[in-house]
Amino acid sequence: MAVESKTENSLDPSSRGVPVNGSVLAQITPTWERPASFMLQNGLQVVVIPDHRTPVVTEMIWYKLGSADETPGKSGLAHFLEHLMFKGTEKHPIGEFSQTVRRVGGNENASTSLDYTNYYQRVPREQLPTMMEFEADRMTGLILKDENVLPERDVVLEEYNMRVANSPDARLNEQIMAALYLNHPYGRLAIGWHQEIEKLNREDALAFYRRFYAPNNAILVIAGDVEAADVRPLVERNFGPIPAQPAIPAQRIRPQEPEPAAPRTVTLSDPRVEQPSLQRYYLVPSATTAAAGESAALDVLAQLMGSGNNSYLYRALVVDKPLAVSASAGYSSISLDPTQFAVAASPRPGVSFADVEQVIDGVIADIVQDPICAEDLERVKTQLIAEAIYAQDNQAVLARLYGGALTTGLSIEDIRSWPDRIRAVTAEQVRAAAQKWLEKKRSVTGYLIKDTTPAKRKEKRS
């Protein structure tokens, strides 16, 4: 999802279970001014990130509610409700919020992931009071009518067709996630299952809205040309009168995965596949669930194995052999519950998946058995920390990264200390992480192949 574009129906990239090279936390560095944070009596957490380079402000509200929190049998409900949140309130009819954002030269967006739903506006700083009034109003004032709800359900179904049904890569990912998570709701994509989406209705959406949309289940992040002392009265005036929802538990409790016992494989064949590919996902701890030092070691391991032309997988599969046209690795650290470490490769014509897997297994075995080159270790740590510097150029990115981390159980100090934890990672920690977590029994390997079965000819009518 592009943060600067206006789409009312977006899914966060992480919601599809695709790990990104490097950690989301790589985008944060403690050289940035420390955000201010305070909490209202109704439980709303507020984070203010000053950025005075331009007279612009980003307001982003995060609900601790993602697809993994949905009622069983109603998958896609969190994303469906995200769409419906643009359908207006009694005070502000449908379209008024978005029209106001456009009129002042701003932009807006929203996204749903496995763990959260967020909404944001980026506008001139003098427009912040207006935006905050709109956002506070729709926290409790949403009005839904069937003439708006049912057509929007069709929009979501079409989005499923575009994002998943018509994308062989996405369909493979859907199947890998379902196989990786035997018990946890991460096993279904944030957009949901088609047959359940088509049954969602107005009552489902309103019940979900009333259950989860409340100040004590939200984090408000304000980034831009503001100071906390000026923001706090605005927040108290707009959000302060909204009552907390006492039924919302302090901690989200979900079904958890059993200890993996055996490797699994899935194969998806599709006539539209032009480039076969292999993806292997390992079940690993997230930044929230990992023991001290483990998540940072997995960050470094992913960078070392599969980020860039100097990475171990790329050199082994693309440069040295060559057996593949591409090779990569990634670790999705930002997750409330156990997450994924992925490796991927696309074999050259005539090269078997078995040959590619043999090399992947060899790279992992080398990391486990042989000392990691000190030069390589320092190179990848420098790369990760450099990403943190570059991210400071976009206040909306900073707001997104703080919100995503905070809604999945991390603290502001966890976020700011991430570069120090990367610097402290040792070669032994990386080796131990590979040995412990990149075990075959913890994995699902997916194969994407071209379906060459001749299409059935239509029978001629007599």
Side-chain angles (χ1 to χ4, degrees):
M1 185 196 69
V3 281
E4 297 306 322
S5 67
K6 170 65 176 75
T7 58
E8 296 178 3
N9 56 357
S10 57
L11 290 163
D12 190 280
S14 65
S15 72
R16 295 187 290 279
V18 182
V20 182
N21 285 346
S23 169
V24 175
L25 289 182
Q27 312 297 314
I28 302 294
T29 178
T31 60
W32 194 258
E33 183 178 346
R34 182 182 180 85
S37 180
F38 58 90
M39 185 172 290
L40 301 189
Q41 288 187 345
N42 58 14
L44 178 69
Q45 182 181 357
V46 184
V47 177
V48 182
I49 308 170
D51 175 10
H52 300 296
R53 292 173 296 174
T54 57
V56 174
V57 65
T58 297
E59 174 185 66
M60 191 173 288
I61 190 159
W62 298 74
Y63 290 95
K64 300 174 189 177
L65 165 69
S67 62
D69 304 298
E70 292 164 343
T71 305
K74 297 185 182 296
S75 64
L77 186 51
H79 177 233
F80 183 40
L81 179 56
E82 176 217 310
H83 279 239
L84 297 176
M85 286 292 285
F86 291 85
K87 299 306 178 184
T89 66
E90 182 176 354
K91 189 174 181 181
H92 298 293
I94 184 171
E96 183 182 348
F97 195 168
S98 295
Q99 290 167 8
T100 302
V101 173
R102 288 195 295 269
R103 188 170 59 249
V104 301
N107 52 60
E108 62 175 335
N109 214 326
S111 67
T112 303
S113 85
L114 301 172
D115 290 317
Y116 55 73
T117 308
N118 69 56
Y119 305 84
Y120 99 88
Q121 307 85 40
R122 193 177 191 190
V123 295
R125 64 184 176 192
E126 63 271 14
Q127 298 297 326
L128 178 60
T130 301
M131 296 301 107
M132 196 175 294
E133 191 276 324
F134 273 114
E135 200 64 86
D137 176 54
R138 73 173 171 182
M139 179 179 277
T140 57
L142 183 65
I143 292 179
L144 297 180
K145 300 177 181 178
D146 279 340
E147 60 260 36
N148 295 326
V149 171
L150 299 182
E152 200 63 37
R153 185 178 63 192
D154 292 337
V155 172
V156 174
L157 287 168
E158 182 57 28
E159 184 178 352
Y160 177 91
N161 291 334
M162 291 175 59
R163 290 179 177 270
V164 182
N166 293 327
S167 169
D169 287 321
R171 290 184 64 215
L172 178 64
N173 173 251
E174 178 186 62
Q175 297 303 307
I176 291 175
M177 291 292 283
L180 184 66
Y181 291 97
L182 301 177
N183 193 45
H184 194 285
Y186 285 169
R188 60 177 182 264
L189 302 189
I191 199 167
W193 300 112
H194 189 281
Q195 75 274 14
E196 293 184 352
I197 299 170
E198 61 188 2
K199 296 178 182 177
L200 297 176
N201 56 39
R202 173 180 175 273
E203 289 71 27
D204 293 330
L206 281 175
F208 203 60
Y209 171 71
R210 291 164 181 158
R211 179 181 173 189
F212 288 111
Y213 276 62
N216 54 316
N217 203 39
I219 299 173
L220 179 66
V221 181
I222 308 292
D225 194 16
V226 294
E227 293 292 344
D230 300 320
V231 168
R232 183 160 193 158
L234 283 176
V235 177
E236 290 177 338
R237 181 168 70 247
N238 287 284
F239 287 95
I242 302 174
Q245 167 55 273
I248 295 174
Q251 300 291 331
R252 286 183 275 182
I253 299 175
R254 299 157 169 172
Q256 295 298 304
E257 280 301 293
E259 186 65 19
R264 283 148 268 167
T265 62
V266 297
T267 301
L268 179 70
S269 59
D270 192 297
R272 297 166 295 183
V273 173
E274 296 300 328
Q275 173 61 62
S277 64
L278 175 155
Q279 295 185 44
R280 184 188 295 166
Y281 283 21
Y282 295 88
L283 185 67
V284 301
S286 65
T288 302
T289 62
E294 277 189 334
S295 180
L298 287 167
D299 277 322
V300 173
L301 177 61
Q303 189 82 359
L304 196 66
M305 285 181 61
S307 182
N309 294 348
N310 287 325
S311 66
Y312 292 174
L313 285 175
Y314 190 90
R315 293 207 306 250
L317 284 167
V318 181
V319 178
D320 296 344
K321 295 296 183 183
L323 297 173
V325 297
S326 65
S328 61
Y331 167 54
S332 295
S333 65
I334 300 302
S335 178
L336 187 63
D337 293 316
T339 184
Q340 315 92 45
F341 186 107
V343 295
S346 297
R348 289 180 179 272
V351 176
S352 70
F353 286 128
D355 289 339
V356 172
E357 285 189 86
Q358 185 176 16
V359 174
I360 291 172
D361 292 339
V363 168
I364 295 172
D366 288 344
I367 292 172
V368 171
Q369 295 167 9
D370 302 328
I372 295 170
C373 173
E375 182 180 343
D376 289 344
L377 185 63
E378 289 308 308
R379 170 175 54 82
V380 299
K381 289 199 288 186
T382 299
Q383 289 170 348
L384 286 171
I385 295 170
E387 292 178 23
I389 306 297
Y390 304 145
Q392 295 181 6
D393 291 335
N394 191 317
Q395 65 177 230
V397 170
L398 283 172
R400 167 171 287 279
L401 298 170
Y402 268 96
L406 292 170
T407 51
T408 52
L410 300 178
S411 68
I412 289 176
E413 191 51 43
D414 289 331
I415 299 165
R416 288 176 55 79
S417 64
W418 184 87
D420 291 334
R421 296 199 299 278
I422 291 296
R423 292 186 187 98
V425 170
T426 66
E428 172 55 27
Q429 285 177 309
V430 176
R431 187 203 66 78
Q435 181 180 42
K436 182 176 182 180
W437 299 113
L438 302 193
E439 281 192 295
K440 274 283 189 70
K441 71 177 183 179
R442 304 190 65 83
S443 72
V444 174
T445 304
Y447 307 103
L448 183 63
I449 61 175
K450 186 175 183 67
D451 185 354
T452 57
T453 304
K456 292 183 179 179
R457 294 180 179 179
K458 294 181 179 179
E459 294 183 3
K460 293 182 179 180
R461 294 182 179 179
S462 57

